[in-house]
Amino acid sequence: MSNANWMEQQASTIGAVPLRELVLPGTHDSGTYSLNADSPLAPDGGESYGPIIVGAEILGWVIGLIVGAWAAGEITSGEIANLSRAQSLTIYEQLQSGIRYLDIRFCVASGVNLDDVQLSDIYICHGMLGPSAPDVLQQIQQFLAENPKEVVLVDINHVYNWSASAGQALVDGLGTYFGQQLVPADAGLDVTLNQLWGTDQRLIVFCVDPNALSYANGYLWPQSNIESTWHKDAEDLAELGNAMLGEFSNSKIDGKFWVNQGIISPASKVAYVEQGSLESIAEIVTPAVTVWVQELFANLSPSLNIVIVNFCELAPFVEACRAVNQEQAAQNLQWLYLTTNTSQSSLNTSDSLYVSTNAAACGEGQLANGVQIAQSSSFGLTPANQIIPVVRTGTLDPATPSIDAQPASVDNENYVQNKIGKLQLDTTPVLVPEGCRLVGLQLATSTTAGLAQPALVVQELTVKGTPTTVVTAVSNPSVYPPIQASKWYVNTQPLVVPGGVPIRGFRYMTSNQVGCAITNQILPSVCVEVGEAPGLRSSWLPASVSAQPPGGIKESSGTAYMCPGADLMVGMKHSGDENGTTWYYVAPVSVAGNTVYTTDVVETTVSDESAGVYVVAAQVKRQVMVGRQHSDDENGSTTYWFANLYVAGQPDWRLVMGPPRWSAPQKQSSCDFKCPPGFVLTGRQHRGDENGNTVFEYAPIYLVAGGSAAGG
């Protein structure tokens, strides 16, 4: 799954959350990717290089030490580049990879008249000059144009060799490149994605320069709105971890955006040079911070906000941040959708099929535990040829097995006619508000002609009687998939979840959207809260975990291992270099006494094992890893096999995967990883030779029983 538009992808769970309460992946010294031995020195090494404006407590003294060492002939310009370059991806590539916070340090090039600064005189700096300001702004502009629902934060927290003229040039440049896309500071510290999506505003710019702030007329945010502390005394992982944990009790972050810096910058030039480069430090630090984000920081208060790292591609850093947002903001919400089955679908054959806009609702004392999109004729209702919403209900007693269908009434007034090729579906998710329960479903309309939208009928949990609240989707033309001509179906199969499990939302989907072979079907999709729902999450414990094959496999031999029978892969162990031995941890899995099997196996190959490619099940639209093969040394190819899951003897049960997690990095030559109980292996990444790090992706299994649903 692409990270380029991850905010849009997670709209249903993060759209209403203030940006300062989301986990936003960021980069440190974001613009330093181009620094090399030929880059000119920059005026950020100390006061002697010109006027400096920097964020509180951050004085750039390490860069001064490095430049001083160069002047004394102790290090070369190439070594300076290695110690100043904090990223290898361009600004555009970082944003495409999912980064949403950019740490920008600008300076005016030496020799420029500070009373007449042009935007082209301004450069990225960190010991050396990087790309120009126009280059940086153009890359951000391109990304926002290609991803219109993503929001980016730019923090201009250091400016060097600066002047009022430079501030004016910067403000003018921001206006030229972004205009109405700039989010004004009066949007407030609690601004949400949903609020910004209702406007053209996509870029928040913090700026340390008071002149630029005054020139911008409120379109730049002052540094007082964001807190960022450099853990300059942290020289190893233990010290960094403690410092990052300490930020959660820092009173300065209250009510602000805040940055937790996941970087180590040794406290002397000697320590710096011994490391060789910032990248060599990041190879240790960035994977560790990635694990901490998901395993250590995720459940702390206040909510983790912006985390920055060096060389963000060295670990699944963005994926970890996304997973925390999924778990925190969405409260473990899981979208379920119907399997596509034309035997239970009705074909639209003419222009006489209508969408009824009447609501279907539960009776008093009933619980909504399923939805259905049906035709009026299926329930003996007239006029015929109307698509109607149906809410599937039971009593409030979760043990009651009976499920009744409550269809909407039908008439010839409240409907939308399907005008061939012009009926569209609004697939925007609609969520039940906190403190309410779903009691009904409606197929609403919008002011856009020929557009069918979902709506929910909800009721406060403390209120009895007739529900009055209706929650409708937010119109968004970018998510209206058109129904092609007259060849489309309405899947009339009920979508039911176990009794007692609250339905938290609804949306339309089409079979085309979910990659089903049977195309052009309208599918209902519900959102359920799976974290604590009885009967939904599998609490299986494997009967036995074994290392297979018994004698292991020589890693470089090209011998494939595939999980046998009903076993699933739950870990991996390796000892030595490419001539060493590899074992795979496997376990039989059962849920509610029923064996879990694999099906629909596919393979994917990485041509160079050492390249650090992340290989995960989601890339091939499968659920679990079931096999692996490696040939030759660390530069050889690796093939992985992935499969879907099903429960034997239970055709109406489906297994879906919860949010994935990543393991702590281990040296490949001595790695030994087993998933926790209830989790299975879903991905792997390795970088370098046998002394390089390996990380594993693993995810929990959720059981959806009592209805025909698949994971969304």
Side-chain angles (χ1 to χ4, degrees), residues 565-568 589 594-599 643-649 655:
D567 284 354
L568 300 181
V589 176
N594 296 271
T595 302
V596 173
Y597 291 94
T598 58
T599 185
N644 286 328
L645 302 175
Y646 72 96
V647 183
L655 293 173

Side-chain angles (χ1 to χ4, degrees), residues 591-647:
V591 290
N594 296 271
T595 302
V596 173
Y597 291 94
T598 58
T599 185
D600 304 326
V601 178
V602 299
E603 69 176 53
T604 184
T605 299
V606 176
S607 59
D608 182 354
E609 165 91 349
S610 66
V613 177
Y614 299 102
V615 182
V616 296
Q619 293 171 342
V620 291
K621 298 183 178 180
R622 294 299 185 270
Q623 295 175 293
V624 297
M625 185 187 298
V626 293
R628 179 179 175 270
Q629 174 192 46
H630 178 72
S631 300
D632 300 323
D633 62 10
E634 64 269 12
N635 299 313
S637 64
T638 302
T639 298
Y640 298 88
W641 285 269
F642 295 94
N644 286 328
L645 302 175
Y646 72 96
V647 183

Side-chain angles (χ1 to χ4, degrees), residues 19-43:
L19 279 169
R20 65 181 180 85
E21 294 180 11
L22 291 178
V23 182
L24 301 177
T27 49
H28 169 247
D29 274 306
S30 308
T32 58
Y33 54 87
S34 66
L35 301 188
N36 58 63
D38 296 326
S39 300
L41 291 179

Side-chain angles (χ1 to χ4, degrees), residues 4 23 41 109 181 228 246 306 348 395 417 426 527 538 601 621 659:
V23 182
L41 291 179
Q181 288 184 306
S228 182
I306 300 162
N348 167 40
T395 66
Q417 184 176 5
D426 185 346
C527 186
S538 167
V601 178
K621 298 183 178 180

Side-chain angles (χ1 to χ4, degrees), residues 245-363:
L245 280 172
E247 282 301 288
F248 287 88
S249 58
N250 182 354
S251 61
K252 293 181 180 180
I253 70 175
D254 293 346
K256 300 179 182 180
F257 288 87
W258 67 289
V259 181
N260 214 331
Q261 298 195 22
I263 61 170
I264 288 180
S265 299
S268 73
K269 66 182 181 183
V270 175
Y272 241 123
V273 174
E274 285 177 350
Q275 291 294 339
S277 69
L278 290 185
E279 185 170 12
S280 64
I281 301 173
E283 287 176 350
I284 300 169
V285 176
T286 297
V289 172
T290 298
V291 173
W292 296 344
V293 165
Q294 202 163 355
E295 303 292 343
L296 186 60
F297 302 150
N299 297 315
L300 298 180
S301 180
S303 299
L304 187 63
N305 188 202
I306 300 162
V307 186
I308 62 172
V309 296
N310 288 337
F311 295 92
C312 59
E313 74 280 5
L314 291 176
F317 173 59
V318 171
E319 289 81 356
C321 294
R322 291 188 60 178
V324 174
N325 285 326
Q326 178 77 4
E327 293 180 359
Q328 287 186 337
Q331 299 179 318
N332 289 328
L333 297 182
Q334 175 79 40
W335 284 97
L336 311 173
Y337 57 84
L338 287 171
T339 55
T340 54
N341 180 351
T342 50
S343 67
Q344 291 184 302
S345 300
S346 54
L347 175 65
N348 167 40
T349 57
S350 71
D351 63 355
S352 60
L353 190 61
Y354 301 85
V355 178
S356 171
T357 59
N358 291 329
C362 299

Side-chain angles (χ1 to χ4, degrees), residues 30 32-33 113 133 156 160 230 269 338 365 393 430 436 476 499 506 515 549 579 592 594 598 614 622:
S30 308
T32 58
Y33 54 87
N113 181 355
I156 305 172
Y160 302 88
W230 175 27
K269 66 182 181 183
L338 287 171
T393 67
V430 192
C436 296
N476 183 350
F506 174 83
N579 295 312
N594 296 271
T598 58
Y614 299 102
R622 294 299 185 270

